[in-house]
């Protein structure tokens, strides 16, 4: 086993890092697109080569030994340096290649971002993207996610967060629903209407801001239907189920056609910030650097977003 080549040693360290960061041999195997026995053999080969026990395995968890902790820290630094050197020497340091794993919110991810993403991929034939749609904040390391686009404030102070844009939000309802209730002329009267809740951002209370002077009002609501899907809330609003507070871009066509009506245009919810988030690293491959540039350019220009207020 001591006749391992440099390439073999790099591959073994890559597998070891993936085991540690994913939390199990089976998860590492899935992320490496191989089998659990193969991952186990690679770990054993690395331990044999180093003459050290790196991981203690029980029926329920993996635990790094002291040597394993030191190996993991050094291996991450070594691989970052190796990748940077490899890119530089092969001339690929500015040519996106390989697989980029991105977590994006459902609405933006399946709608407005697809066109610029496809155009970007067409420019780089050596690049692949795993485009994962999920509105929650990922665990970048264990889930093997390179970066994420998040709507709403990030809740992990340990990640890098870049503010990209903001999304205006408005109150809307179907004309049939409004016809069945007294006219709404004051913000406080909104509480008398049936409501829908977008649980990612509000459930039993909404905050509205007056456009003219930024005065705030908080209103308690009792939603008849609550969902974490923006599209589901829009559909329910179109059906006349209740009033909704939604991102303005998703209902623009409905407002133009008259299928929905904006209530009290003088009042809007504070806009939602859109962030690019990713774990800090000493080196980022070209595919990630280029994606950072793409998303910073594209996001503030999308329909229904605007550059963030500074």
């Amino acid at each position: 086993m001591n006749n391992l080549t440099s390439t073999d040693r790099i591959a073994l360290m890559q597998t070891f890092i993936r085991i540690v960061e994913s939390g199990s041999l089976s998860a590492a195997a899935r992320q490496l697109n191989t089998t659990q026995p193969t991952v186990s053999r690679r770990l054993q080969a690395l331990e044999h080569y180093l003459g050290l026990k790196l991981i203690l395995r029980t029926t329920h968890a993996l635990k790094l030994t002291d040597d394993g902790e030191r190996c993991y820290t050094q291996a991450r630094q070594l691989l970052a340096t190796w990748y940077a050197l490899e890119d530089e020497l092969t001339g690929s340091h500015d040519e996106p290649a390989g697989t980029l794993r991105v977590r994006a919110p459902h609405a933006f991810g399946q709608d407005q971002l697809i066109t610029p993403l496809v155009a970007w991929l067409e420019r780089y034939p050596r690049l692949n993207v795993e485009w994962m749609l999920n509105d929650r904040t990922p665990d970048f390391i264990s889930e093997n996610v390179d970066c994420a686009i998040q709507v709403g404030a990030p809740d992990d102070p340990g990640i890098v967060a870049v503010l990209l844009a903001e999304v205006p939000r408005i109150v809307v309802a179907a004309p049939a629903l409004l016809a069945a209730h007294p006219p709404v002329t004051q913000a406080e009267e909104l509480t008398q209407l049936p409501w829908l809740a977008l649980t990612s951002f509000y459930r039993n209370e909404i905050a509205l801001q007056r456009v003219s002077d930024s005065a705030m009002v908080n209103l308690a609501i009792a939603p008849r239907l609550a969902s974490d899907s923006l599209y589901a809330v829009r559909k329910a609003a179109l059906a006349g189920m209740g009033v909704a507070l939604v991102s303005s871009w998703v209902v623009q066509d409905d407002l133009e056609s008259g299928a929905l009506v904006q209530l009290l245009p003088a009042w809007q919810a504070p806009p939602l910030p859109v962030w690019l988030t990713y774990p800090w690293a000493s080196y980022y491959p070209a595919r990630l650097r280029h994606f950072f540039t793409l998303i910073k350019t594209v996001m503030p220009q999308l329909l229904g977003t605007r550059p963030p207020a500074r």
Side-chain angles (χ1 to χ4, degrees), residues 14-289:
Q14 288 173 323
T15 299
F16 172 63
I17 290 171
R18 188 55 24 218
I19 293 169
V20 174
E21 295 183 346
S22 66
S24 71
L25 299 183
S26 58
R30 287 194 300 271
Q31 294 180 6
L32 292 169
N33 195 29
T34 188
T35 65
Q36 182 172 332
T38 297
V39 169
S40 181
R41 284 194 298 270
R42 291 176 185 173
L43 174 60
Q44 291 171 9
L46 181 62
E47 290 180 327
H48 182 76
Y49 174 75
L50 295 174
L52 299 169
K53 189 66 175 176
L54 303 177
I55 292 178
L56 299 176
R57 282 176 278 180
T58 70
T59 55
H60 301 293
L62 300 179
K63 179 177 174 57
L64 285 174
T65 64
D66 290 344
D67 290 327
E69 291 276 7
R70 288 192 293 271
C71 182
Y72 171 69
T73 300
Q74 295 297 325
R76 279 182 57 88
Q77 295 175 355
L78 179 61
L79 285 184
T81 302
W82 170 260
Y83 292 146
L85 176 63
E86 185 180 49
D87 284 351
E88 186 67 34
L89 294 179
T90 61
S92 62
H93 61 282
D94 202 39
E95 175 70 18
T99 299
L100 178 69
R101 299 171 180 84
V102 183
R103 176 75 63 79
H106 272 105
F108 278 122
Q110 66 183 301
D111 198 323
Q112 294 157 282
L113 286 172
I114 288 297
T115 297
L117 180 67
V118 169
W120 186 60
L121 279 169
E122 288 174 344
R123 292 166 51 195
Y124 301 110
R126 298 171 57 206
L127 178 66
N128 305 303
V129 172
E130 289 188 17
W131 192 245
M132 299 165 281
L133 302 185
N134 194 307
D135 293 306
R136 68 175 179 82
T137 303
D139 185 330
F140 291 97
I141 302 301
S142 67
E143 296 178 39
N144 198 24
V145 174
D146 293 312
C147 65
I149 302 160
Q150 297 179 230
V151 179
D155 55 8
D156 183 352
I159 61 175
V160 180
V162 179
L163 184 59
L164 298 172
E166 60 184 27
V167 181
R169 294 185 295 163
I170 59 176
V171 180
V172 298
L177 175 74
L178 297 177
H181 294 82
V184 174
T185 59
Q186 303 293 326
E188 291 75 12
E189 294 170 350
L190 290 170
T191 60
Q192 305 304 313
L193 298 173
W195 269 85
L196 309 169
L198 182 58
T199 55
S200 306
F201 304 108
Y202 69 94
R203 186 181 295 269
N204 301 116
E205 184 181 64
I206 61 167
L208 296 178
Q209 187 174 40
R210 190 158 51 201
V211 176
S212 61
D213 60 4
S214 299
M216 296 291 299
V217 61
N218 293 306
L219 303 174
I221 60 170
R224 294 201 60 204
L225 182 147
S227 173
D228 61 355
S229 167
L230 178 60
Y231 288 127
V233 170
R234 170 184 169 267
K235 284 283 191 179
L238 285 168
M241 176 64 66
V243 181
L245 177 59
V246 295
S247 302
S248 58
W249 69 269
V250 81
V251 294
Q252 180 170 308
D253 291 344
D254 303 320
L255 295 173
E256 292 175 357
S257 69
L260 291 174
V261 176
Q262 181 179 359
L263 280 68
L264 301 180
W267 292 86
Q268 295 186 6
L272 292 174
V274 183
W275 297 83
L276 169 66
T277 59
Y278 50 93
W280 183 89
S282 58
Y283 173 74
Y284 298 105
R287 59 184 176 270
L288 202 50
R289 298 196 307 270

